[in-house]
Amino acid sequence: MGTPDFAVNSFHALCREFSVVGVLTQPDKPKGRGYTLTPPPIKVEAEKLGISVYQPETLKDFAIKELLEELSPDVIAVVAYGKILPSYVLDYPKYGCVNLHGSILPKYRGAAPMQRAIIDGDKVTGVTTQLMAQGVDTGDILEKAYVEIDENDNFEDIHDKLALCGAKLLLEVIDEIAQGTNTREKQDESLSTYAKKIEKSDCLIDFTKPAQQVHNLIRGLSPIPLSFTHTPDGKLLKVVKSRLVSTDGICGKAGEVVSVDGEIVVACGMGSVALCTVLPEGKGRMAAADFIRGRKITAGDILS
């Protein structure tokens, strides 16, 4: 059971080592300006390998009970599927439902663990395999693997690192289950945190915050959905890439452009950041230097 790109590495790893009897994924969804009906990445990969794909609108009211009986899986691997599994699904496989989650549980349960770890300035994250139970990411932990977050890693970087790391871990865990050597660890509820879905309000850059926090927000939301600010004429300016210039001292009013020498250097509540790549309203992504030349943003302007 899986849907987005994050699940692709795990899917291929499982196909190499085990008999995958079927794939459940989300229904095709309209995308782009033409609202073209687009299949999930996992569906595309499964069809390449000739594996049966099922896309139920709901799992409620025993909607897939007959399908489970038909496929008769020993274990269900779940990677970013996107639906809550009812108890009849959780209880069906002999060895349970094993979920791969993009954080070190019980920290960052929920929808956006990778983004939240970067935004919060964490230096380390990782993946956790858990035996699924009722609740959001509350099941017993099977195995964990850790991944460092580098200073300039963005969401895409961490996503790709964890997808690779997670595929390897998932294989190891399911092999342990098959051999009967797996162990289980209860989650410490006192340490749990929730990584809520990214909303538009989360994406607005607050330059009154320290430069490190601003940089963390920008990279945590890149390449999608992107953080944003507004130019003095009220136009939306999304930020694709930034770098820390300084982390201490006051170099101007928060949001003030203090330099436009190839990059847009902006003063923060403490320190400053350089906006290196931007997405102006109505335009494509471009280097900050091109935006400076085209829009003539100048030192002293306020981004708000």
Side-chain angles (χ1 to χ4, degrees), residues 33 226 228-231 233-239 278-286 291 295:
R33 293 183 178 180
L226 293 178
F228 67 90
T229 185
H230 296 91
T231 52
D233 58 2
K235 296 288 186 180
L236 187 69
L237 182 66
K238 294 184 177 182
V239 184
V278 295
L279 177 62
E281 185 173 329
K283 304 287 184 179
R285 298 186 182 200
M286 62 179 67
F291 178 70
R295 294 292 297 274

Side-chain angles (χ1 to χ4, degrees), residues 128-151:
T128 303
T129 48
Q130 57 167 335
L131 197 61
M132 295 179 72
Q134 291 293 332
V136 179
D137 302 319
T138 56
D140 290 353
I141 292 170
L142 299 173
E143 297 285 353
K144 304 175 185 177
Y146 295 84
V147 170
E148 291 186 359
I149 302 176
D150 295 332
E151 175 65 33

Side-chain angles (χ1 to χ4, degrees), residues 248-261:
D248 56 11
I250 305 297
C251 57
K253 180 180 177 181
E256 181 182 356
V257 177
V258 295
S259 171
V260 287
D261 186 14

Side-chain angles (χ1 to χ4, degrees), residues 36-214:
T36 304
L37 204 59
T38 305
I42 283 295
K43 178 181 179 180
V44 174
E45 298 304 311
E47 288 181 339
K48 288 178 183 177
L49 298 178
I51 296 174
S52 298
V53 178
Y54 307 91
Q55 297 175 275
E57 292 285 349
T58 182
L59 305 183
K60 297 177 181 177
D61 301 322
F62 299 95
I64 64 166
K65 183 174 183 295
E66 290 184 4
L67 177 61
L68 289 173
E69 292 171 349
E70 176 188 338
L71 297 177
S72 189
D74 291 320
V75 63
I76 295 176
V78 183
V79 186
Y81 175 45
K83 289 185 185 293
I84 299 294
L85 273 57
S87 57
Y88 79 93
V89 178
L90 295 174
D91 296 340
Y92 184 86
K94 178 180 179 180
Y95 299 106
C97 297
V98 177
N99 175 243
L100 175 69
H101 184 71
S103 79
I104 300 299
L105 291 172
K107 192 174 184 181
Y108 298 124
R109 294 171 176 173
M114 291 175 267
Q115 297 98 317
R116 296 292 178 187
I118 299 169
I119 291 169
D120 289 352
D122 288 4
K123 303 298 184 185
V124 176
T125 185
V127 286
T128 303
T129 48
Q130 57 167 335
L131 197 61
M132 295 179 72
Q134 291 293 332
V136 179
D137 302 319
T138 56
D140 290 353
I141 292 170
L142 299 173
E143 297 285 353
K144 304 175 185 177
Y146 295 84
V147 170
E148 291 186 359
I149 302 176
D150 295 332
E151 175 65 33
N152 293 308
D153 276 345
N154 65 11
F155 169 44
E156 182 176 38
D157 296 326
I158 294 303
H159 171 282
D160 292 352
K161 288 180 183 181
L162 294 189
L164 287 170
C165 179
K168 182 175 182 292
L169 187 69
L170 187 60
L171 270 189
E172 292 173 359
V173 166
I174 293 185
D175 187 58
E176 289 174 357
I177 289 173
Q179 301 300 323
T181 58
N182 62 296
T183 58
R184 297 166 57 168
E185 172 193 345
K186 291 288 185 184
Q187 294 193 40
D188 186 342
E189 291 297 321
S190 68
L191 300 177
S192 69
T193 61
Y194 185 72
K196 68 182 181 71
K197 179 182 177 182
I198 300 294
E199 304 289 352
K200 184 177 180 180
S201 58
D202 296 314
C203 302
L204 177 62
I205 301 172
D206 181 359
F207 287 108
T208 66
K209 292 184 176 180
Q212 182 68 67
Q213 291 184 31
V214 172

